[in-house]
Amino acid sequence: MRFRAAVYALVRRVPRGHVVTYGQVAALVRQPRSARAVGAAMKQCPEGVPWHRVVNAQGGISRRRVVSGMLTQRIRLEQEGVRLRRGRVPLTHYRWEGTPRWTSR
DNA sequence: GACTTGACTAGAC
DNA sequence: AGTCTAGCCAAGT
């Protein structure tokens, strides 16, 4: 499961108060076509992984089985100082560019 | 190992 | 700007 490990390692680097999109995470781990897989990996994210800093390409919080999860994500982001505009994160302000992963794979 | 599932996306209306 | 559609692909069955 090298993929998931790379995803978690990457997400752990996202600074407080910043966010990244699923597609971005996929690209950063050198697998630009695996955005959906990133979402799947997030379902199981281990402790210590700031999963709430991962949002969809529109800066919104993606739907999931447990709706409460969406709320907690929004709350966590706000607690870090990320302000939502019209229900979404202004990616132009909070997006973390990140750095390509040299890692493992 | 074949088949189904989406915390996804870009593109077309 | 909101909806649909078609590719995608790691994970889970």
PDB file of all heavy atoms in Angstrom, chain B residues 1-12:
ATOM      1  P    DG B   1      -3.226 -13.516 -11.157  1.00  0.00           P
ATOM      2  OP1  DG B   1      -2.429 -12.428 -10.981  1.00  0.00           O
ATOM      3  OP2  DG B   1      -2.969 -14.811 -11.538  1.00  0.00           O
ATOM      4  O5'  DG B   1      -4.788 -13.252 -10.775  1.00  0.00           O
ATOM      5  C5'  DG B   1      -5.645 -14.392 -10.679  1.00  0.00           C
ATOM      6  C4'  DG B   1      -7.069 -13.977 -10.908  1.00  0.00           C
ATOM      7  O4'  DG B   1      -7.716 -13.773  -9.617  1.00  0.00           O
ATOM      8  C3'  DG B   1      -7.248 -12.669 -11.655  1.00  0.00           C
ATOM      9  O3'  DG B   1      -8.478 -12.712 -12.344  1.00  0.00           O
ATOM     10  C2'  DG B   1      -7.308 -11.667 -10.531  1.00  0.00           C
ATOM     11  C1'  DG B   1      -8.159 -12.422  -9.534  1.00  0.00           C
ATOM     12  N9   DG B   1      -8.033 -12.005  -8.160  1.00  0.00           N
ATOM     13  C8   DG B   1      -6.923 -11.588  -7.493  1.00  0.00           C
ATOM     14  N7   DG B   1      -7.159 -11.277  -6.253  1.00  0.00           N
ATOM     15  C5   DG B   1      -8.518 -11.519  -6.107  1.00  0.00           C
ATOM     16  C6   DG B   1      -9.373 -11.379  -4.990  1.00  0.00           C
ATOM     17  O6   DG B   1      -9.076 -10.984  -3.852  1.00  0.00           O
ATOM     18  N1   DG B   1     -10.663 -11.735  -5.268  1.00  0.00           N
ATOM     19  C2   DG B   1     -11.099 -12.182  -6.473  1.00  0.00           C
ATOM     20  N2   DG B   1     -12.374 -12.481  -6.560  1.00  0.00           N
ATOM     21  N3   DG B   1     -10.323 -12.324  -7.529  1.00  0.00           N
ATOM     22  C4   DG B   1      -9.052 -11.966  -7.278  1.00  0.00           C
ATOM     23  P    DA B   2      -8.676 -11.764 -13.667  1.00  0.00           P
ATOM     24  OP1  DA B   2      -8.429 -12.610 -14.856  1.00  0.00           O
ATOM     25  OP2  DA B   2      -7.976 -10.481 -13.500  1.00  0.00           O
ATOM     26  O5'  DA B   2     -10.253 -11.490 -13.570  1.00  0.00           O
ATOM     27  C5'  DA B   2     -11.141 -12.589 -13.473  1.00  0.00           C
ATOM     28  C4'  DA B   2     -12.475 -12.127 -12.896  1.00  0.00           C
ATOM     29  O4'  DA B   2     -12.298 -11.769 -11.500  1.00  0.00           O
ATOM     30  C3'  DA B   2     -13.035 -10.892 -13.590  1.00  0.00           C
ATOM     31  O3'  DA B   2     -14.453 -11.027 -13.628  1.00  0.00           O
ATOM     32  C2'  DA B   2     -12.579  -9.758 -12.687  1.00  0.00           C
ATOM     33  C1'  DA B   2     -12.655 -10.407 -11.317  1.00  0.00           C
ATOM     34  N9   DA B   2     -11.755  -9.868 -10.300  1.00  0.00           N
ATOM     35  C8   DA B   2     -10.413  -9.577 -10.419  1.00  0.00           C
ATOM     36  N7   DA B   2      -9.875  -9.110  -9.311  1.00  0.00           N
ATOM     37  C5   DA B   2     -10.936  -9.106  -8.415  1.00  0.00           C
ATOM     38  C6   DA B   2     -11.032  -8.739  -7.061  1.00  0.00           C
ATOM     39  N6   DA B   2     -10.003  -8.284  -6.348  1.00  0.00           N
ATOM     40  N1   DA B   2     -12.231  -8.851  -6.461  1.00  0.00           N
ATOM     41  C2   DA B   2     -13.265  -9.321  -7.168  1.00  0.00           C
ATOM     42  N3   DA B   2     -13.300  -9.707  -8.444  1.00  0.00           N
ATOM     43  C4   DA B   2     -12.094  -9.573  -9.010  1.00  0.00           C
ATOM     44  P    DC B   3     -15.371  -9.771 -14.103  1.00  0.00           P
ATOM     45  OP1  DC B   3     -16.625 -10.314 -14.650  1.00  0.00           O
ATOM     46  OP2  DC B   3     -14.534  -8.831 -14.893  1.00  0.00           O
ATOM     47  O5'  DC B   3     -15.726  -9.083 -12.704  1.00  0.00           O
ATOM     48  C5'  DC B   3     -16.498  -9.800 -11.758  1.00  0.00           C
ATOM     49  C4'  DC B   3     -17.221  -8.855 -10.815  1.00  0.00           C
ATOM     50  O4'  DC B   3     -16.289  -8.401  -9.807  1.00  0.00           O
ATOM     51  C3'  DC B   3     -17.747  -7.603 -11.504  1.00  0.00           C
ATOM     52  O3'  DC B   3     -18.924  -7.182 -10.833  1.00  0.00           O
ATOM     53  C2'  DC B   3     -16.614  -6.623 -11.313  1.00  0.00           C
ATOM     54  C1'  DC B   3     -16.127  -6.990  -9.923  1.00  0.00           C
ATOM     55  N1   DC B   3     -14.727  -6.668  -9.603  1.00  0.00           N
ATOM     56  C2   DC B   3     -14.414  -6.355  -8.282  1.00  0.00           C
ATOM     57  O2   DC B   3     -15.303  -6.400  -7.433  1.00  0.00           O
ATOM     58  N3   DC B   3     -13.148  -6.010  -7.980  1.00  0.00           N
ATOM     59  C4   DC B   3     -12.207  -5.984  -8.922  1.00  0.00           C
ATOM     60  N4   DC B   3     -10.983  -5.631  -8.558  1.00  0.00           N
ATOM     61  C5   DC B   3     -12.511  -6.302 -10.270  1.00  0.00           C
ATOM     62  C6   DC B   3     -13.774  -6.644 -10.563  1.00  0.00           C
ATOM     63  P    DT B   4     -19.692  -5.772 -11.214  1.00  0.00           P
ATOM     64  OP1  DT B   4     -21.109  -6.105 -11.379  1.00  0.00           O
ATOM     65  OP2  DT B   4     -18.953  -5.081 -12.289  1.00  0.00           O
ATOM     66  O5'  DT B   4     -19.546  -4.924  -9.868  1.00  0.00           O
ATOM     67  C5'  DT B   4     -19.964  -5.512  -8.657  1.00  0.00           C
ATOM     68  C4'  DT B   4     -19.640  -4.601  -7.487  1.00  0.00           C
ATOM     69  O4'  DT B   4     -18.215  -4.439  -7.346  1.00  0.00           O
ATOM     70  C3'  DT B   4     -20.230  -3.197  -7.586  1.00  0.00           C
ATOM     71  O3'  DT B   4     -20.665  -2.825  -6.281  1.00  0.00           O
ATOM     72  C2'  DT B   4     -19.044  -2.365  -8.042  1.00  0.00           C
ATOM     73  C1'  DT B   4     -17.907  -3.058  -7.324  1.00  0.00           C
ATOM     74  N1   DT B   4     -16.556  -2.877  -7.901  1.00  0.00           N
ATOM     75  C2   DT B   4     -15.569  -2.471  -7.051  1.00  0.00           C
ATOM     76  O2   DT B   4     -15.743  -2.219  -5.871  1.00  0.00           O
ATOM     77  N3   DT B   4     -14.323  -2.359  -7.629  1.00  0.00           N
ATOM     78  C4   DT B   4     -13.991  -2.610  -8.934  1.00  0.00           C
ATOM     79  O4   DT B   4     -12.835  -2.484  -9.316  1.00  0.00           O
ATOM     80  C5   DT B   4     -15.094  -3.032  -9.789  1.00  0.00           C
ATOM     81  C7   DT B   4     -14.830  -3.308 -11.223  1.00  0.00           C
ATOM     82  C6   DT B   4     -16.307  -3.144  -9.224  1.00  0.00           C
ATOM     83  P    DT B   5     -21.702  -1.572  -6.124  1.00  0.00           P
ATOM     84  OP1  DT B   5     -22.875  -2.002  -5.373  1.00  0.00           O
ATOM     85  OP2  DT B   5     -21.862  -0.913  -7.433  1.00  0.00           O
ATOM     86  O5'  DT B   5     -20.855  -0.625  -5.169  1.00  0.00           O
ATOM     87  C5'  DT B   5     -19.462  -0.793  -5.106  1.00  0.00           C
ATOM     88  C4'  DT B   5     -18.885   0.087  -4.010  1.00  0.00           C
ATOM     89  O4'  DT B   5     -17.487   0.216  -4.276  1.00  0.00           O
ATOM     90  C3'  DT B   5     -19.425   1.517  -3.982  1.00  0.00           C
ATOM     91  O3'  DT B   5     -19.197   2.059  -2.694  1.00  0.00           O
ATOM     92  C2'  DT B   5     -18.574   2.162  -5.043  1.00  0.00           C
ATOM     93  C1'  DT B   5     -17.212   1.504  -4.800  1.00  0.00           C
ATOM     94  N1   DT B   5     -16.406   1.331  -6.022  1.00  0.00           N
ATOM     95  C2   DT B   5     -15.042   1.464  -5.897  1.00  0.00           C
ATOM     96  O2   DT B   5     -14.493   1.708  -4.852  1.00  0.00           O
ATOM     97  N3   DT B   5     -14.346   1.285  -7.062  1.00  0.00           N
ATOM     98  C4   DT B   5     -14.852   1.008  -8.309  1.00  0.00           C
ATOM     99  O4   DT B   5     -14.122   0.865  -9.270  1.00  0.00           O
ATOM    100  C5   DT B   5     -16.294   0.882  -8.367  1.00  0.00           C
ATOM    101  C7   DT B   5     -16.955   0.585  -9.654  1.00  0.00           C
ATOM    102  C6   DT B   5     -16.989   1.047  -7.225  1.00  0.00           C
ATOM    103  P    DG B   6     -20.123   3.300  -2.223  1.00  0.00           P
ATOM    104  OP1  DG B   6     -19.417   3.857  -1.036  1.00  0.00           O
ATOM    105  OP2  DG B   6     -21.540   2.947  -2.126  1.00  0.00           O
ATOM    106  O5'  DG B   6     -19.966   4.294  -3.437  1.00  0.00           O
ATOM    107  C5'  DG B   6     -19.734   5.686  -3.232  1.00  0.00           C
ATOM    108  C4'  DG B   6     -18.349   5.965  -2.715  1.00  0.00           C
ATOM    109  O4'  DG B   6     -17.372   5.180  -3.476  1.00  0.00           O
ATOM    110  C3'  DG B   6     -17.957   7.417  -2.903  1.00  0.00           C
ATOM    111  O3'  DG B   6     -17.098   7.835  -1.849  1.00  0.00           O
ATOM    112  C2'  DG B   6     -17.226   7.422  -4.250  1.00  0.00           C
ATOM    113  C1'  DG B   6     -16.559   6.056  -4.256  1.00  0.00           C
ATOM    114  N9   DG B   6     -16.525   5.523  -5.608  1.00  0.00           N
ATOM    115  C8   DG B   6     -17.585   5.226  -6.423  1.00  0.00           C
ATOM    116  N7   DG B   6     -17.230   4.778  -7.596  1.00  0.00           N
ATOM    117  C5   DG B   6     -15.849   4.779  -7.537  1.00  0.00           C
ATOM    118  C6   DG B   6     -14.909   4.395  -8.517  1.00  0.00           C
ATOM    119  O6   DG B   6     -15.115   3.969  -9.657  1.00  0.00           O
ATOM    120  N1   DG B   6     -13.588   4.551  -8.063  1.00  0.00           N
ATOM    121  C2   DG B   6     -13.253   5.027  -6.815  1.00  0.00           C
ATOM    122  N2   DG B   6     -11.968   5.107  -6.556  1.00  0.00           N
ATOM    123  N3   DG B   6     -14.124   5.372  -5.887  1.00  0.00           N
ATOM    124  C4   DG B   6     -15.401   5.223  -6.318  1.00  0.00           C
ATOM    125  P    DA B   7     -18.043   8.592  -0.739  1.00  0.00           P
ATOM    126  OP1  DA B   7     -17.528   7.897   0.450  1.00  0.00           O
ATOM    127  OP2  DA B   7     -19.498   8.626  -0.987  1.00  0.00           O
ATOM    128  O5'  DA B   7     -17.603  10.116  -0.719  1.00  0.00           O
ATOM    129  C5'  DA B   7     -16.582  10.415   0.124  1.00  0.00           C
ATOM    130  C4'  DA B   7     -15.913  11.659  -0.327  1.00  0.00           C
ATOM    131  O4'  DA B   7     -15.485  12.231   0.895  1.00  0.00           O
ATOM    132  C3'  DA B   7     -14.670  11.419  -1.157  1.00  0.00           C
ATOM    133  O3'  DA B   7     -14.316  12.592  -1.857  1.00  0.00           O
ATOM    134  C2'  DA B   7     -13.657  11.084  -0.111  1.00  0.00           C
ATOM    135  C1'  DA B   7     -14.076  12.059   1.005  1.00  0.00           C
ATOM    136  N9   DA B   7     -13.800  11.551   2.346  1.00  0.00           N
ATOM    137  C8   DA B   7     -14.115  10.315   2.856  1.00  0.00           C
ATOM    138  N7   DA B   7     -13.718  10.152   4.081  1.00  0.00           N
ATOM    139  C5   DA B   7     -13.110  11.357   4.404  1.00  0.00           C
ATOM    140  C6   DA B   7     -12.477  11.830   5.543  1.00  0.00           C
ATOM    141  N6   DA B   7     -12.344  11.128   6.655  1.00  0.00           N
ATOM    142  N1   DA B   7     -11.979  13.066   5.515  1.00  0.00           N
ATOM    143  C2   DA B   7     -12.118  13.797   4.405  1.00  0.00           C
ATOM    144  N3   DA B   7     -12.688  13.466   3.253  1.00  0.00           N
ATOM    145  C4   DA B   7     -13.167  12.230   3.332  1.00  0.00           C
ATOM    146  P    DC B   8     -14.957  12.905  -3.335  1.00  0.00           P
ATOM    147  OP1  DC B   8     -15.014  14.350  -3.482  1.00  0.00           O
ATOM    148  OP2  DC B   8     -16.159  12.075  -3.574  1.00  0.00           O
ATOM    149  O5'  DC B   8     -13.805  12.382  -4.264  1.00  0.00           O
ATOM    150  C5'  DC B   8     -12.429  12.614  -3.962  1.00  0.00           C
ATOM    151  C4'  DC B   8     -11.724  13.040  -5.224  1.00  0.00           C
ATOM    152  O4'  DC B   8     -12.124  12.183  -6.307  1.00  0.00           O
ATOM    153  C3'  DC B   8     -12.044  14.469  -5.660  1.00  0.00           C
ATOM    154  O3'  DC B   8     -10.842  15.123  -6.083  1.00  0.00           O
ATOM    155  C2'  DC B   8     -12.990  14.293  -6.827  1.00  0.00           C
ATOM    156  C1'  DC B   8     -12.543  12.977  -7.414  1.00  0.00           C
ATOM    157  N1   DC B   8     -13.631  12.290  -8.105  1.00  0.00           N
ATOM    158  C2   DC B   8     -13.449  11.927  -9.451  1.00  0.00           C
ATOM    159  O2   DC B   8     -12.380  12.188 -10.007  1.00  0.00           O
ATOM    160  N3   DC B   8     -14.452  11.299 -10.104  1.00  0.00           N
ATOM    161  C4   DC B   8     -15.583  11.026  -9.471  1.00  0.00           C
ATOM    162  N4   DC B   8     -16.536  10.401 -10.160  1.00  0.00           N
ATOM    163  C5   DC B   8     -15.785  11.371  -8.103  1.00  0.00           C
ATOM    164  C6   DC B   8     -14.794  11.996  -7.467  1.00  0.00           C
ATOM    165  P    DT B   9     -10.871  16.735  -6.429  1.00  0.00           P
ATOM    166  OP1  DT B   9      -9.730  17.331  -5.743  1.00  0.00           O
ATOM    167  OP2  DT B   9     -12.237  17.261  -6.213  1.00  0.00           O
ATOM    168  O5'  DT B   9     -10.572  16.799  -7.985  1.00  0.00           O
ATOM    169  C5'  DT B   9     -11.051  15.758  -8.803  1.00  0.00           C
ATOM    170  C4'  DT B   9     -10.600  15.971 -10.216  1.00  0.00           C
ATOM    171  O4'  DT B   9     -11.410  15.095 -11.013  1.00  0.00           O
ATOM    172  C3'  DT B   9     -10.850  17.381 -10.750  1.00  0.00           C
ATOM    173  O3'  DT B   9      -9.895  17.689 -11.740  1.00  0.00           O
ATOM    174  C2'  DT B   9     -12.242  17.279 -11.317  1.00  0.00           C
ATOM    175  C1'  DT B   9     -12.335  15.836 -11.782  1.00  0.00           C
ATOM    176  N1   DT B   9     -13.668  15.222 -11.561  1.00  0.00           N
ATOM    177  C2   DT B   9     -14.183  14.449 -12.566  1.00  0.00           C
ATOM    178  O2   DT B   9     -13.603  14.247 -13.622  1.00  0.00           O
ATOM    179  N3   DT B   9     -15.421  13.924 -12.307  1.00  0.00           N
ATOM    180  C4   DT B   9     -16.178  14.081 -11.171  1.00  0.00           C
ATOM    181  O4   DT B   9     -17.277  13.540 -11.083  1.00  0.00           O
ATOM    182  C5   DT B   9     -15.571  14.905 -10.151  1.00  0.00           C
ATOM    183  C7   DT B   9     -16.316  15.133  -8.876  1.00  0.00           C
ATOM    184  C6   DT B   9     -14.364  15.424 -10.395  1.00  0.00           C
ATOM    185  P    DA B  10      -9.737  19.262 -12.195  1.00  0.00           P
ATOM    186  OP1  DA B  10      -8.325  19.592 -11.927  1.00  0.00           O
ATOM    187  OP2  DA B  10     -10.824  20.081 -11.623  1.00  0.00           O
ATOM    188  O5'  DA B  10      -9.950  19.204 -13.776  1.00  0.00           O
ATOM    189  C5'  DA B  10      -9.374  18.134 -14.508  1.00  0.00           C
ATOM    190  C4'  DA B  10     -10.138  17.963 -15.803  1.00  0.00           C
ATOM    191  O4'  DA B  10     -11.414  17.329 -15.565  1.00  0.00           O
ATOM    192  C3'  DA B  10     -10.436  19.285 -16.493  1.00  0.00           C
ATOM    193  O3'  DA B  10     -10.273  19.099 -17.889  1.00  0.00           O
ATOM    194  C2'  DA B  10     -11.878  19.569 -16.104  1.00  0.00           C
ATOM    195  C1'  DA B  10     -12.464  18.164 -16.046  1.00  0.00           C
ATOM    196  N9   DA B  10     -13.599  17.994 -15.134  1.00  0.00           N
ATOM    197  C8   DA B  10     -13.814  18.609 -13.935  1.00  0.00           C
ATOM    198  N7   DA B  10     -14.922  18.234 -13.339  1.00  0.00           N
ATOM    199  C5   DA B  10     -15.468  17.309 -14.219  1.00  0.00           C
ATOM    200  C6   DA B  10     -16.637  16.535 -14.176  1.00  0.00           C
ATOM    201  N6   DA B  10     -17.508  16.570 -13.163  1.00  0.00           N
ATOM    202  N1   DA B  10     -16.894  15.719 -15.220  1.00  0.00           N
ATOM    203  C2   DA B  10     -16.023  15.681 -16.227  1.00  0.00           C
ATOM    204  N3   DA B  10     -14.887  16.356 -16.378  1.00  0.00           N
ATOM    205  C4   DA B  10     -14.665  17.157 -15.324  1.00  0.00           C
ATOM    206  P    DG B  11     -10.529  20.353 -18.850  1.00  0.00           P
ATOM    207  OP1  DG B  11      -9.463  20.306 -19.877  1.00  0.00           O
ATOM    208  OP2  DG B  11     -10.755  21.590 -18.063  1.00  0.00           O
ATOM    209  O5'  DG B  11     -11.891  19.917 -19.541  1.00  0.00           O
ATOM    210  C5'  DG B  11     -11.998  18.590 -20.043  1.00  0.00           C
ATOM    211  C4'  DG B  11     -13.396  18.345 -20.572  1.00  0.00           C
ATOM    212  O4'  DG B  11     -14.305  18.129 -19.467  1.00  0.00           O
ATOM    213  C3'  DG B  11     -13.960  19.529 -21.375  1.00  0.00           C
ATOM    214  O3'  DG B  11     -14.762  18.997 -22.428  1.00  0.00           O
ATOM    215  C2'  DG B  11     -14.804  20.239 -20.330  1.00  0.00           C
ATOM    216  C1'  DG B  11     -15.385  19.058 -19.572  1.00  0.00           C
ATOM    217  N9   DG B  11     -15.886  19.329 -18.241  1.00  0.00           N
ATOM    218  C8   DG B  11     -15.353  20.143 -17.279  1.00  0.00           C
ATOM    219  N7   DG B  11     -16.078  20.189 -16.182  1.00  0.00           N
ATOM    220  C5   DG B  11     -17.151  19.344 -16.446  1.00  0.00           C
ATOM    221  C6   DG B  11     -18.266  18.991 -15.650  1.00  0.00           C
ATOM    222  O6   DG B  11     -18.536  19.353 -14.502  1.00  0.00           O
ATOM    223  N1   DG B  11     -19.109  18.101 -16.304  1.00  0.00           N
ATOM    224  C2   DG B  11     -18.907  17.625 -17.558  1.00  0.00           C
ATOM    225  N2   DG B  11     -19.831  16.792 -18.027  1.00  0.00           N
ATOM    226  N3   DG B  11     -17.877  17.943 -18.322  1.00  0.00           N
ATOM    227  C4   DG B  11     -17.039  18.804 -17.703  1.00  0.00           C
ATOM    228  P    DA B  12     -15.249  20.005 -23.618  1.00  0.00           P
ATOM    229  OP1  DA B  12     -14.639  19.503 -24.876  1.00  0.00           O
ATOM    230  OP2  DA B  12     -15.046  21.415 -23.197  1.00  0.00           O
ATOM    231  O5'  DA B  12     -16.823  19.713 -23.669  1.00  0.00           O
ATOM    232  C5'  DA B  12     -17.279  18.365 -23.608  1.00  0.00           C
ATOM    233  C4'  DA B  12     -18.778  18.344 -23.360  1.00  0.00           C
ATOM    234  O4'  DA B  12     -19.034  18.562 -21.952  1.00  0.00           O
ATOM    235  C3'  DA B  12     -19.524  19.447 -24.127  1.00  0.00           C
ATOM    236  O3'  DA B  12     -20.800  18.949 -24.524  1.00  0.00           O
ATOM    237  C2'  DA B  12     -19.666  20.530 -23.061  1.00  0.00           C
ATOM    238  C1'  DA B  12     -19.906  19.687 -21.821  1.00  0.00           C
ATOM    239  N9   DA B  12     -19.617  20.347 -20.548  1.00  0.00           N
ATOM    240  C8   DA B  12     -18.557  21.134 -20.219  1.00  0.00           C
ATOM    241  N7   DA B  12     -18.590  21.597 -18.992  1.00  0.00           N
ATOM    242  C5   DA B  12     -19.766  21.067 -18.482  1.00  0.00           C
ATOM    243  C6   DA B  12     -20.393  21.186 -17.226  1.00  0.00           C
ATOM    244  N6   DA B  12     -19.906  21.895 -16.223  1.00  0.00           N
ATOM    245  N1   DA B  12     -21.558  20.531 -17.049  1.00  0.00           N
ATOM    246  C2   DA B  12     -22.056  19.815 -18.056  1.00  0.00           C
ATOM    247  N3   DA B  12     -21.563  19.631 -19.280  1.00  0.00           N
ATOM    248  C4   DA B  12     -20.403  20.295 -19.429  1.00  0.00           C
TER     249       DA B  12
END
